[in-house]
Amino acid sequence: MTELAEKLHAAGFLISEANGSRSRDNGILVSGQNLGAGAVLGRTATAGTIAAAAAAGNTGNGTMGTLSVGGGAKVGDYKVIIVEPAANAGVFEVIDPEGVLVGRGNVASAFAGDVNFTLADGATDFISGDLFTLTVSQLTTKYKVLAPAATDGTQRAAGILLADTDASAADKACAVISRQAEVNGNELVYPGGITATQKDVAIAQLQAAGVMVRL
């Protein structure tokens, strides 16, 4: 008798989800991929608007140069805070809308990451605590298979593909489990070559978003 192996089917990895469609997002799978149900996905920003505002109490009078969103951008307010002031220079930290440190940079040098900008030095130097708010809105994002070594946002696990989706020829609409759900961790599909440590990180990222991975 021929032994048959059951293929992973749409939503087969789900243990439970919220009522209605609260656990699901409509997404776009980037072209060049043909992924099955249960694939762990990362998310990358492809467009968005960003605006900068200096805190009213700033001492330094340097200004923000050209702004743009990076692949890992999130909707909300990023904080750029001077932490190591210096004459005609200084070091700042960039904090994302969820309060996570996403990088450190230098005054008068380009910063690239979730948000991209150059904070110019002014006639009056910055002091510790001087602050800028960068507000990201109207963000357009797409999904790719999780890529732990990437720098475009897809290095962070953002959801799980609900059903087989073939985007080999062009971007394709898809459904993604991204919150308020329990999933069977043994039925999730990770990229080839992922290490045990990288898998643990991805599971932690999913659980931080409200997707509980049961092993």
Side-chain angles (χ1 to χ4, degrees):
M1 179 182 293
T2 302
E3 183 175 322
L4 300 177
E6 183 180 5
K7 183 178 181 293
L8 292 176
H9 56 83
F13 58 87
L14 271 174
I15 298 173
S16 69
E17 62 177 320
N19 290 335
S21 57
R22 285 184 295 165
S23 297
R24 307 183 183 193
D25 278 331
N26 292 322
I28 298 294
L29 190 65
V30 173
S31 64
Q33 304 176 97
N34 183 3
L35 303 178
V40 179
L41 304 175
R43 183 171 55 218
T44 185
T46 59
T49 61
I50 182 170
N58 282 0
T59 294
N61 62 359
T63 58
M64 282 285 177
T66 301
L67 298 161
S68 64
V69 297
K74 304 172 184 177
V75 170
D77 291 338
Y78 284 79
K79 304 297 184 184
V80 179
I81 307 168
I82 301 296
V83 293
E84 296 177 17
N88 302 315
V91 175
F92 56 79
E93 292 183 342
V94 181
I95 311 295
D96 78 6
E98 297 174 359
V100 177
L101 173 67
V102 295
R104 290 166 62 95
N106 297 293
V107 173
S109 295
F111 177 86
D114 285 10
V115 288
N116 305 314
F117 61 89
T118 299
L119 177 55
D121 179 46
T124 302
D125 290 328
F126 292 111
I127 65 170
S128 184
D130 278 357
L131 169 71
F132 287 79
T133 299
L134 308 184
T135 301
V136 175
S137 59
Q138 298 179 348
L139 197 61
T140 299
T141 59
K142 296 182 180 181
Y143 289 93
K144 296 181 181 179
V145 67
L146 177 70
T151 58
D152 64 352
T154 58
Q155 69 272 23
R156 296 192 289 263
I160 303 167
L161 189 63
L162 185 72
D164 294 357
T165 304
D166 186 355
S168 299
D171 288 358
K172 189 74 172 288
C174 63
V176 179
I177 297 295
S178 58
R179 69 183 72 81
Q180 293 182 300
E182 292 179 287
V183 300
N184 182 346
N186 296 309
E187 294 192 0
L188 300 186
V189 181
Y190 295 90
I194 192 170
T195 67
T197 297
Q198 289 169 336
K199 186 180 292 187
D200 287 344
V201 170
I203 289 172
Q205 290 166 340
L206 288 171
Q207 296 194 157
V211 179
M212 299 295 104
V213 180
R214 307 301 189 193
L215 299 173

